[in-house]
Amino acid sequence: MTTYAVERWTRSGRVTVGAAAGVLLVLALLPTLATGLVIDKLTTLFIYILLAVMWNLLAGYAGLVSVGQQAFFGVGGYLALRLVDAGMTPYLALIVGAVGAGLVAIPISTFALRLKGGEFAIAMWVIAEVLRIVVMFDPLVQGETGTSLLALNAFDPDLRRNLTYWLGLGALALMLSATMWLLRSRIGAAAQAIRDDEEAAASIGIDVMRVKQIIFVLAAFGCALAGTIWLASAITFLPRTNFGVQWTVFMLFMVLVGGLKTFEGPIIGAIIFFLLQEVFGDLGVWYLTGLGVIAVGFALYLPDGLWGTWRQRTGIDLLSGGVMLKNPVTVKRAT
Amino acid sequence: MLDALIQGILLGGYYAILAAGLSLMFGVVRFINLAHGDLAIYGAYLVLFAVEVLGLSPWVAVASVVPVMALLGWLLQATLFARTIKGGFLLPLLTTFGLGAVLQNGMFGLFGSDTKSLGNHIGNLSWASWQLPVGISVGQLPVITFAVAVAVLGSLQLVLSFSKLGRAIRATSSDPEAAELSGIDARAVHRAAAAIAVALAGLAGAFLAMRALINPYAGPTQLIFAFEAVVIGGIGSLWGTLVGGIVLGVAQSFGATISAQGFQLAGHLVFLGVLGGRLYLAHSRNLGGWRGVLGMPALPLKSATQLKKVTSEGRS
C-alpha cells in the first residue's frame, strides 16, 4: 500500500498568499498617500468584494441560491443604528451590529434551510421583506424617511474616511481568510458534497443541516459587515435602499461574471463590476439594463465565469481549494 | 370586517391569474421564473401603449396584448429558458433574475419612471360598484377580475383534461422522459406552457394596471405575491392557486385595516406560516406523527386491535 502525503499548498498558492499579504500591507498604508476620493472608492470596492465572496460561499460552495441576502445587509445597519442610539461608540457598534445580524441568521437558518432550490431563494426574499417592514415600524427609522448615523459626524471627516476604509479592509481580509480556511476544512468539503448531491452526502454521515447552517450564518455575518460599513460610508439609512433587492442583483452579477464555485472569481467579478460602474454608471437605467444583459449572457454562454473558464482552459489555479496527493513516484491531484 | 373579507376574496382572483402561469411553469418546465412579475408589468405597459399611443379601446388592447405576450413566452422558452434548464436549478434562477433586471430597467428607460394606470381609460369601471342587499357594495372591477380568473382556470382545466396539448402537458410534467418515449416533443410542450404562462402574466398585469398604479419596478413584489399564492394553495395544483390567492388576498386585506404596511406584512406572515406548517408536517410524518416529535412510543393501531377482536370472537 502506498501512503500518500496530503499537500494543501501548491507553489502558486504560496506565491498568491504572499502577494495578497503584500497587497494588504500596501492598502493598509494607502491612506497616508492617496486622496480622499480614492479612499472612498476603494472602501466601496471592498464592500463589493465582500458581498461577492459571501454570495459565492452560499451559492457556489453550498448550493444555497438566496435572493434575500439584503436581509442581513439591512439588519446589520439597523442594529448598528440602534446600538449607537443606546450609547455605544459608532465604530464598535458597526462590528457588534454585524455580529447581531449573524445571530439573527441562526433562527432564520433553522427554518429556511429546510427549503429546497427556488423555494429557499424566494422564501429568503420574503424574509428580507418582512425584516424591512418590521424595521420600518421602529420609530427610530421613521418608516420610509429613514435616518442617519449622525454620531459619525463627531469624527473629523478625514479620520472618519480612513477609519471606515481600514474597517472595510480589515473586514475583507478577515472574511477572505475565514472563507479560505473554512473551504479547506472538513466543512468546506462537506458543503461541496452537499451541493453536488445532498442525499449522497447525508448517507456518508455528513450532518447536512449543521454544515449548511455554519455557511449560512457566516455568509449572513459577512453581508451584515458589508452593510454596516456601507452605513458608515453613506451615513444615511433608507430601509428601501439598505434592504433593496439590488444588492442581491449586484452579488449575482459579480459572482456570475467572475466565476461561481471559484475562490478568485468573485473578487475579479467585483473589480469588473466596480470598474463598469465607474465608467458607465452615469448612464443610469441603461447601465443597469446592460448589467442584466451581461448576467444573462454569462449564464447562457459562459456559466463558469471568466475565472472558471480561464482555469479550465489554462489549468492555472492560484489558490487551490483541493488537495494534492503526493508520493515519490506519482503526483495525483484530487478535488 | 365583512367588507375587508369580500375585498380580500375578490383580490384572490387577480392573484390566481398571476399565479396560474407561475405554477404552470413550475409544474411543467420545472423552474421558477423570477421574471414572472416583471413580465406581468411588461404586459401592462404594452396595454397602456396600445391604449395611449395606438388609441385602441382598453378591452381590445388587452385582447391583442395577450397573444403578443404568448408569443413572447414562446420565444423566451425557445431561446433563453430551454438553454438554462439543462444546467440544474441554479442557472434558471440566475437567468430569470437577470432577465427581470433587464425588463425593469428597460421599461424604466422606455416608458419613464412615472407611475401609470389604466384606471382613467376604463370610464367609471375603476370605481363603480354594485350594491348588495345587506348594505355592502362590491367593486365592479374586482368582480369582473374574479370572474375572469374563474373562467381562465376553468378553460385551462378543460385544455389540460381534454385536449391533445393538455395530455402532452400532463404527461411531460409527470415524467418528461417517458413522455418523450411515447412520441411527445417535450421541448414543444415546454414552449406551449411558457406561452400560456406569459400570456396569463400579461393578462394579470392588465388587471393590475386597471385597479392600481404601476411603475417599472413593481414586478418583483408581484412575483412574491404570485409565489406566495402558489405555495399557500399547493404547488402544481391549478385550483389551488385560486385558493392560495384568496387566502393571500384575505390576509392582505385584513392586514391593510391595521396599518398601511400591514397589507404586505400579513400576506408574508401567512406565507411563512404555511411553509413552516408544511415543513413541520413533513418532519413529524417522518418521525411518526406528533408522538414522534415528542419522542413517545407509537400506539398500536386501533383498527388492527379491533380487527383482532373480531376474528377472535368469530373463532369462539
Side-chain angles (χ1 to χ4, degrees):
Chain A
M1 203 182 106
T2 337
T3 41
Y4 293 97
V6 175
E7 177 64 51
R8 284 199 174 273
W9 288 98
T10 58
R11 178 196 288 272
S12 66
R14 287 200 199 88
V15 172
T16 310
V17 169
V23 171
L24 184 69
L25 190 69
V26 171
L27 285 174
L29 296 174
L30 202 62
T32 54
L33 304 167
T35 62
L37 186 68
V38 173
I39 297 301
D40 277 341
K41 295 279 182 202
L42 282 175
T43 310
T44 310
L45 177 62
F46 297 158
I47 292 169
Y48 290 160
I49 297 177
L50 184 52
L51 286 173
V53 171
M54 289 301 110
W55 202 78
N56 183 46
L57 178 64
L58 260 189
Y61 286 103
L64 297 166
V65 180
S66 163
V67 195
Q69 288 310 99
Q70 66 274 18
F72 307 110
F73 191 91
V75 166
Y78 165 72
L79 289 178
L81 279 170
R82 262 276 155 225
L83 289 168
V84 169
D85 191 59
M88 195 183 267
T89 335
Y91 279 96
L92 182 62
L94 295 177
I95 295 163
V96 178
V99 173
L103 294 177
V104 169
I106 295 173
I108 292 175
S109 73
T110 58
F111 168 76
L113 291 177
R114 293 183 202 278
L115 303 169
K116 300 265 177 293
E119 275 185 24
F120 170 76
I122 301 187
M124 283 305 300
W125 196 350
V126 172
I127 289 169
E129 284 292 290
V130 168
L131 288 170
R132 174 180 65 79
I133 295 170
V134 169
V135 162
M136 279 165 72
F137 279 128
D138 186 336
L140 180 73
V141 176
Q142 306 171 56
E144 299 274 357
T145 324
T147 183
S148 302
L149 193 59
L150 291 173
L152 280 180
N153 287 346
F155 292 83
D156 166 66
D158 280 332
L159 178 65
R160 189 178 75 202
R161 179 183 292 125
N162 290 347
L163 281 175
T164 309
Y165 171 87
W166 279 318
L167 182 63
L169 185 63
L172 181 61
L174 173 80
M175 293 312 286
L176 280 178
S177 323
T179 307
M180 192 73 213
W181 173 79
L182 189 78
L183 290 178
R184 289 186 166 196
S185 70
R186 279 189 90 79
I187 297 168
Q192 292 174 60
I194 294 168
R195 176 196 67 200
D196 294 338
D197 190 333
E198 189 164 328
E199 280 174 22
S203 74
I204 55 166
I206 292 173
D207 188 344
V208 171
M209 192 63 191
R210 200 175 154 70
V211 170
K212 280 186 178 178
Q213 227 165 0
I214 291 169
I215 299 235
F216 184 85
V217 172
L218 184 72
F221 171 67
C223 288
L225 260 182
T228 57
I229 297 161
W230 174 263
L231 176 69
S233 67
I235 304 287
T236 55
F237 181 86
L238 299 163
R240 287 210 187 267
T241 308
N242 289 58
F243 281 96
V245 74
Q246 82 275 5
W247 294 109
T248 297
V249 179
F250 294 164
M251 287 182 232
L252 179 144
F253 177 86
M254 296 185 283
V255 173
L256 203 54
V257 168
L260 199 71
K261 306 180 192 180
T262 65
F263 188 82
E264 303 89 337
I267 302 173
I268 295 165
I271 294 170
I272 292 172
F273 173 68
F274 173 79
L275 293 175
L276 284 175
Q277 197 166 45
E278 287 304 306
V279 179
F280 299 109
D282 294 337
L283 297 177
V285 286
W286 292 116
Y287 155 71
L288 293 170
T289 313
L291 287 187
V293 172
I294 295 174
V296 172
F298 268 89
L300 287 179
Y301 299 105
L302 218 56
D304 294 316
L306 291 175
W307 184 257
T309 310
W310 154 265
R311 198 173 60 172
Q312 277 171 14
R313 294 253 169 93
T314 62
I316 296 174
D317 200 0
L318 292 184
L319 280 164
S320 165
V323 294
M324 312 268 283
L325 297 178
K326 281 185 180 170
N327 73 6
V329 192
T330 51
V331 177
K332 236 169 113 182
R333 179 144 190 275
T335 33
Chain B
M1 242 11 196
L2 192 60
D3 199 40
L5 182 68
I6 292 173
Q7 274 183 27
I9 292 172
L10 293 178
L11 184 58
Y14 159 71
Y15 289 138
I17 304 177
L18 187 66
L22 192 70
S23 183
L24 190 67
M25 285 299 274
F26 190 68
V28 181
V29 200
R30 299 199 176 276
F31 78 92
I32 296 176
N33 180 4
L34 291 180
H36 194 73
D38 302 305
L39 286 166
I41 300 299
Y42 184 67
Y45 269 100
L46 284 186
V47 173
L48 272 165
F49 179 81
V51 171
E52 288 180 350
V53 180
L54 305 181
L56 297 180
S57 92
W59 296 108
V60 175
V62 173
S64 46
V65 162
V66 168
V68 172
M69 292 300 285
L71 181 67
L72 177 66
W74 192 92
L75 284 173
L76 281 175
Q77 178 64 39
T79 56
L80 273 184
F81 301 159
R83 275 191 80 103
T84 60
I85 48 176
K86 283 179 276 180
F89 86 100
L90 188 73
L91 282 186
L93 284 179
L94 300 182
T95 311
T96 53
F97 201 51
L99 175 67
V102 173
L103 281 171
Q104 289 158 28
N105 295 298
M107 284 189 284
F108 186 100
L110 288 175
F111 304 114
S113 63
D114 300 342
T115 54
K116 290 193 171 189
S117 176
L118 267 173
N120 39 6
H121 297 292
I122 51 173
N124 62 358
L125 188 62
S126 53
W127 44 267
S129 62
W130 284 302
Q131 292 294 325
L132 293 185
V134 277
I136 306 160
S137 62
V138 289
Q140 291 184 4
L141 183 62
V143 171
I144 292 172
T145 312
F146 193 88
V148 169
V150 173
V152 161
L153 292 181
S155 36
L156 211 53
Q157 178 75 65
L158 288 177
V159 168
L160 286 176
S161 300
F162 299 112
S163 76
K164 197 178 166 197
L165 174 67
R167 273 195 298 278
I169 289 180
R170 280 183 292 138
T172 312
S173 77
S174 61
D175 190 336
E177 276 133 34
E180 291 242 298
L181 286 176
S182 324
I184 291 170
D185 183 356
R187 297 197 321 196
V189 170
H190 287 171
R191 289 195 289 268
I196 297 173
V198 174
L200 288 179
L203 182 65
F207 278 114
L208 177 70
M210 288 181 197
R211 149 174 87 78
L213 293 166
I214 56 163
N215 69 65
Y217 296 100
T221 315
Q222 301 306 315
L223 165 76
I224 291 181
F225 291 160
F227 186 76
E228 288 175 342
V230 171
V231 168
I232 294 171
I235 286 173
S237 152
L238 191 61
W239 292 98
T241 57
L242 184 61
V243 175
I246 289 174
V247 171
L248 180 68
V250 169
Q252 291 180 336
S253 180
F254 278 118
T257 60
I258 299 163
S259 86
Q261 293 289 342
F263 176 80
Q264 287 199 15
L265 187 60
H268 293 337
L269 292 180
V270 167
F271 161 76
L272 292 175
V274 168
L275 260 188
R278 224 181 61 198
L279 285 174
Y280 177 77
L281 280 181
H283 184 65
S284 55
R285 206 174 296 132
N286 283 343
L287 297 171
W290 60 273
R291 294 185 161 273
V293 176
L294 298 174
M296 287 163 73
L299 280 180
L301 282 173
K302 218 177 185 177
S303 57
T305 47
Q306 276 170 347
L307 200 70
K308 224 182 205 170
K309 225 178 182 177
V310 171
T311 47
S312 60
E313 274 169 6
R315 267 183 206 160
S316 61

